[in-house]
Amino acid sequence: MAGEADAWDRAGLLPIGLLRELGAAGRLCAQVPAAYGGRALSSAAGGAFTAHVGSLCSSLRSVMTSQGMAAWTIERFGTAEQRTAFLPRLTGGGLAAAGFSERGAGSDLSAMTTRVRRDGDTVVLDGHKVWVTAAHYADLLVLFGRYDDGAGGGDADVADGDEAVAVVVPADTPGVRVTRVADPLGCRAAGHADIALDAVRVPAAHVLGGSSLPLPLLVTTALAYGRMSVAWGCVGILRGCLTAATRHAATREQFGVPLGEHQLVARHLAELFVAEQNATRACEHASRRWDEGSPEQVVATVLAKHVSAVNAARGAATAVQVLASAGAQDGHLVARAHRDAKLMEIIEGSNEMCQLMLARHVLGSSV
């Protein structure tokens, strides 16, 4: 994989056969319970695997994140029948993506305008999702929208309320149009795409749980998995950068000595090591909270995502500085990491949103 990741990045595509092979082995959503064909990994074990993949290819890790978010949402909110119907598909070679964001609803998902309307034994979806990771490859789309159950409230009540649903939509359903995001900055092979929904009709049984839920609960629960996956992926970015920068500094000579013996370069290596260790410890702490079912899990997850993303972006930039021209062009791991890491500061909760959430936690704890 390490030798092929650059080619995938340049082509902007992952081999679909590889994705299906990994999916059939349960590796794209490794925390799914064994009863549904998954590997039943703990958060800690799943995180270690995610970091390994992230150190080699952030695009593939991003597909794992999206597949895992879709599976996690189905597992958490689906009925027993829905879990039985959908999860084995995701551990058996089927591919999935989870769609939240819209043009007017990025960080503020309360501004979501996608509508899900009940019509007899079916539901009809209308709307537009943007930057849905892995949507280009997906067989199933787990999409979030406002719900009108036909009980008399109408669209006005839906728009004013705080209720939403998650719906499983086969990507080949009439009215679904998936369009690749052109030339993304990073994770170029992750299959980012926009999804247009024009009177898309699916069985009402595809509404997870069968009814609406509070939007903050629905979205926060689904995003939590994504944040943990991104956080561990950032640990992988840092490890890849640290290995590349250290190898270069130990073998490249300037002024008659290895580059790493120059104090300012040594400082860069030390800072990169500290960044990797800080991110790793934050992720380990958060995964322990997940595996314990601790009430601290939410804030620990946000903390891990923020610490890891910030450190990955800074650490990748440091690695480029150490390698200089050797790492400053497409085709080198640190150049790719520099682009990929910047996206990690935006997706699944931007740096600013994470800081606001952490500040609210601190303020709430001090009352």
Side-chain angles (χ1 to χ4, degrees), residues 58 61-62 131 184-188 192 230 233-234 237-238 241 305-306 308-318 320 333-352 355:
S58 285
R61 194 277 308 152
S62 293
W131 273 88
L185 171 68
C187 299
R188 292 172 174 172
H192 304 298
V230 167
C234 286
I237 288 174
L238 284 162
C241 286
K305 195 276 176 182
H306 182 57
S308 297
V310 169
N311 277 295
R314 292 176 181 170
T318 296
V320 173
L333 181 147
V334 300
R336 177 160 44 88
H338 186 43
R339 291 184 284 100
D340 294 345
K342 185 59 200 175
L343 281 191
M344 301 307 109
E345 293 193 299
I346 299 170
I347 64 172
E348 317 305 1
S350 65
N351 288 353
E352 293 81 2
Q355 288 171 321

Side-chain angles (χ1 to χ4, degrees), residues 238 241-243 245-247 249 259-279 311 314-315 318-319 322:
L238 284 162
C241 286
L242 180 60
T243 298
T246 302
R247 182 182 298 120
L259 196 60
E261 293 188 16
H262 293 280
Q263 289 183 342
L264 293 180
V265 175
R267 185 196 69 189
H268 285 319
L269 298 177
E271 289 176 345
L272 190 49
F273 174 69
V274 169
E276 184 273 329
Q277 288 290 295
N278 283 340
N311 277 295
R314 292 176 181 170
T318 296
V322 172

Side-chain angles (χ1 to χ4, degrees), residues 40-316:
L41 296 189
S42 65
S43 178
F49 176 59
T50 300
H52 172 67
V53 175
S55 72
L56 303 174
C57 180
S58 285
S59 287
L60 179 55
R61 194 277 308 152
S62 293
V63 171
M64 289 170 53
T65 297
S66 196
Q67 179 104 348
M69 288 172 69
W72 177 252
T73 303
I74 293 168
E75 182 185 343
R76 293 287 292 181
F77 294 113
T79 63
E81 292 79 9
Q82 289 169 333
R83 292 192 293 271
T84 299
F86 296 124
L87 289 178
R89 293 184 63 178
L90 303 191
T91 58
L95 304 174
F100 304 87
S101 297
E102 302 177 5
R103 288 194 180 96
S107 294
D108 180 14
L109 289 173
S110 66
M112 187 185 300
T113 61
T114 294
R115 292 290 182 266
V116 182
R117 173 175 56 85
R118 181 71 180 255
D119 184 16
D121 60 357
T122 66
V123 291
V124 180
L125 294 87
D126 287 282
H128 198 112
K129 298 295 181 182
V130 298
W131 273 88
V132 181
T133 300
H136 175 71
Y137 307 113
D139 305 303
L140 295 177
L141 304 167
V142 178
L143 303 175
F144 294 74
R146 300 289 189 175
Y147 192 41
D148 174 13
D149 64 4
D155 286 346
D157 285 350
V158 173
D160 292 338
D162 200 26
E163 300 287 302
V165 289
V167 187
V168 180
V169 179
D172 60 359
T173 304
V176 175
R177 187 171 71 255
V178 178
T179 305
R180 287 289 301 269
V181 172
D183 302 319
L185 171 68
C187 299
R188 292 172 174 172
H192 304 298
D194 297 344
I195 302 172
L197 305 164
D198 183 11
V200 175
R201 188 179 296 271
V202 298
H206 285 214
V207 175
L208 294 180
S211 62
S212 59
L213 290 167
L215 179 63
L217 171 64
L218 190 64
V219 171
T220 300
T221 301
L223 282 177
Y225 184 99
R227 287 171 178 154
M228 279 302 306
S229 183
V230 167
W232 276 111
C234 286
V235 169
I237 288 174
L238 284 162
R239 290 176 181 172
C241 286
L242 180 60
T243 298
T246 302
R247 182 182 298 120
H248 181 80
T251 56
R252 166 79 164 163
E253 287 195 0
Q254 290 287 276
F255 302 101
V257 297
L259 196 60
E261 293 188 16
H262 293 280
Q263 289 183 342
L264 293 180
V265 175
R267 185 196 69 189
H268 285 319
L269 298 177
E271 289 176 345
L272 190 49
F273 174 69
V274 169
E276 184 273 329
Q277 288 290 295
N278 283 340
T280 298
R281 301 302 164 247
C283 286
E284 289 174 343
H285 170 72
S287 280
R288 283 195 297 270
R289 299 291 83 80
W290 270 67
D291 292 335
E292 295 166 357
S294 167
E296 297 176 7
Q297 151 182 343
V298 174
V299 69
T301 298
V302 175
L303 178 64
K305 195 276 176 182
H306 182 57
V307 169
S308 297
V310 169
N311 277 295
R314 292 176 181 170

